[in-house]
Amino acid sequence: MIFELFASTGFSSVYILNQSGNKEITNQVNGWDNEFLPSLEKMWGLYPQKPIYMIITNENLGLEMGNATDYPTFFQVTVTMRYPLSETKGTVAHELMHVFQFSWMDRYGKQMPLWVMEGLATWYGGKMGFYPASLNYNPFLFQSVNPLDYENYPSNTTNLQEYYAEVYALFLEMNKKINFESALPQILESVRLNSDWKMAFSESLGENFDLFYSNWRNSTFYYLVFDFIAFWGIWIFVPIFLLYIFLKNFFHTNREENDDEIKRLEDIYGKAYWSNDEKGETDEKSDGDSRTK
């Protein structure tokens, strides 16, 4: 494979191999790299010291839109072009965030939980491009996946999709309070000085992370249930409403027909028709009784 050098610093170089057949995308990706790398360097306080080989392809990566791998002598990033351009841009940002995470862990010998790695990567991908995961998931299924419980990716496809949706939503909510672009250096410094990730987040949030997380999950669940009801309620209510209108018209029509028939009989026999009818029934019974005696 022949990689073309597009970005270079004193520490590392970014090489792009375009296998997509779209010649214009090479310059597009290079422009994104030049946009993302300074931003990431500022947040992480370092720059990868190994070359970054970026492959742009039309290959189907399954559920993945891209991936990043830390090899001993280089980083490899693969991004598929099978999605809209805004999502491709978000994927490039997402995977470069992973490269900086690998670099930070390599330098300081620290581990990063999966939910932190993917939470930061999905947040950054959504910020710089477009990340397709959203809150519009089944609210009951949404609560079946607790991202903090997973050391490895969920093996179930549905759970994996929900996992990404949840960590993305969580880090979007956290970002509202702490702004990762400015707060991440302090969070990393706290972890480097032997705080765990939850403690470091607690310091930035100004409240206990576990309590924040619990309150967030509860509020998100109620929001999703309401959203779920509001959306599906329309499709449930409409046929019920139409059925109600049909039944109302049906009985109203029958009543009008009965009223018309009553009026017709009264016109022929007069209103005394009803009393005579009742009287006739009474006389018939009386006659029957007298004959029995």
Side-chain angles (χ1 to χ4, degrees), residues 6 10 20 28 79 97 105 123 141 164 193 222 240 264:
F6 266 84
S20 69
Q28 183 74 73
V79 176
M97 172 63 85
M105 289 188 288
W123 160 75
L141 181 60
Y164 275 101
L193 295 176
Y222 297 138
I240 292 176
R264 188 181 68 81

Side-chain angles (χ1 to χ4, degrees), residues 55-68 77-95 122 125 129-133 160 164:
I55 302 172
I56 310 300
T57 180
N58 282 329
E59 183 182 353
N60 186 349
L61 302 179
L63 292 177
E64 295 183 329
M65 298 170 67
N67 55 64
V77 171
T78 304
V79 176
T80 180
M81 289 290 298
R82 298 172 71 92
Y83 299 90
L85 197 63
S86 59
E87 293 183 30
T88 303
K89 182 179 182 181
T91 303
V92 171
H94 179 113
E95 302 306 338
T122 51
F130 177 78
Y131 191 70
L160 181 62
Y164 275 101

Side-chain angles (χ1 to χ4, degrees), residues 9 16 21-22 59 79 124 144 146 207 217 223 230 236 264:
T9 70
I16 298 176
N22 181 351
E59 183 182 353
V79 176
Y124 192 67
S144 69
N146 184 345
E207 63 178 295
R217 275 178 71 83
Y223 166 78
I236 295 173
R264 188 181 68 81

Side-chain angles (χ1 to χ4, degrees), residues 3-230:
F3 288 86
E4 186 175 356
L5 175 62
F6 266 84
S8 182
T9 70
F11 300 102
S12 178
S13 300
V14 179
Y15 299 86
I16 298 176
L17 174 63
N18 183 359
Q19 296 179 332
S20 69
N22 181 351
K23 296 180 180 180
E24 296 179 1
I25 195 63
T26 303
N27 289 326
Q28 183 74 73
V29 172
N30 179 55
W32 295 341
D33 290 346
N34 289 329
E35 176 186 356
F36 304 153
L37 295 173
S39 168
L40 290 164
E41 182 180 11
K42 185 177 180 181
M43 281 189 285
W44 290 91
L46 53 74
Y47 196 92
Q49 297 191 3
K50 297 185 293 190
I52 303 168
Y53 294 101
M54 185 171 293
I55 302 172
I56 310 300
T57 180
N58 282 329
E59 183 182 353
N60 186 349
L61 302 179
L63 292 177
E64 295 183 329
M65 298 170 67
N67 55 64
T69 307
D70 183 3
Y71 290 106
T73 58
F74 64 93
F75 297 104
Q76 179 174 302
V77 171
T78 304
V79 176
T80 180
M81 289 290 298
R82 298 172 71 92
Y83 299 90
L85 197 63
S86 59
E87 293 183 30
T88 303
K89 182 179 182 181
T91 303
V92 171
H94 179 113
E95 302 306 338
L96 285 177
M97 172 63 85
H98 283 323
V99 169
F100 277 78
Q101 291 169 338
F102 294 147
S103 298
W104 186 85
M105 289 188 288
D106 288 345
R107 175 174 294 187
Y108 296 111
K110 296 290 183 178
Q111 294 301 308
M112 192 176 299
L114 184 64
W115 62 273
V116 176
M117 292 191 68
E118 293 301 343
L120 286 172
T122 51
W123 160 75
Y124 192 67
K127 172 182 171 58
M128 306 308 285
F130 177 78
Y131 191 70
S134 68
L135 290 179
N136 295 320
Y137 279 64
N138 184 326
F140 308 102
L141 181 60
F142 192 90
Q143 291 290 305
S144 69
V145 175
N146 184 345
L148 274 59
D149 290 343
Y150 286 83
E151 293 184 6
N152 299 303
Y153 294 97
S155 56
N156 178 280
T157 299
T158 302
N159 285 353
L160 181 62
Q161 292 173 326
E162 292 294 335
Y163 177 88
Y164 275 101
E166 286 210 46
V167 293
Y168 180 48
L170 171 61
F171 274 73
L172 282 179
E173 190 65 24
M174 291 174 65
N175 185 64
K176 292 178 183 177
K177 295 196 68 173
I178 64 179
N179 187 357
F180 284 117
E181 268 201 294
S182 58
L184 189 57
Q186 182 56 50
I187 294 170
L188 296 173
E189 183 66 9
S190 295
V191 174
R192 192 178 69 81
L193 295 176
N194 295 321
S195 290
D196 63 27
W197 288 94
K198 287 185 179 181
M199 186 181 299
F201 285 135
S202 296
E203 292 171 0
S204 293
L205 289 167
E207 63 178 295
N208 180 272
F209 173 79
D210 286 328
L211 180 60
F212 171 86
Y213 181 72
S214 177
N215 290 337
W216 169 77
R217 275 178 71 83
N218 290 335
S219 64
T220 301
F221 176 73
Y222 297 138
Y223 166 78
L224 286 171
V225 170
F226 176 79
D227 186 60
F228 183 83
I229 292 173

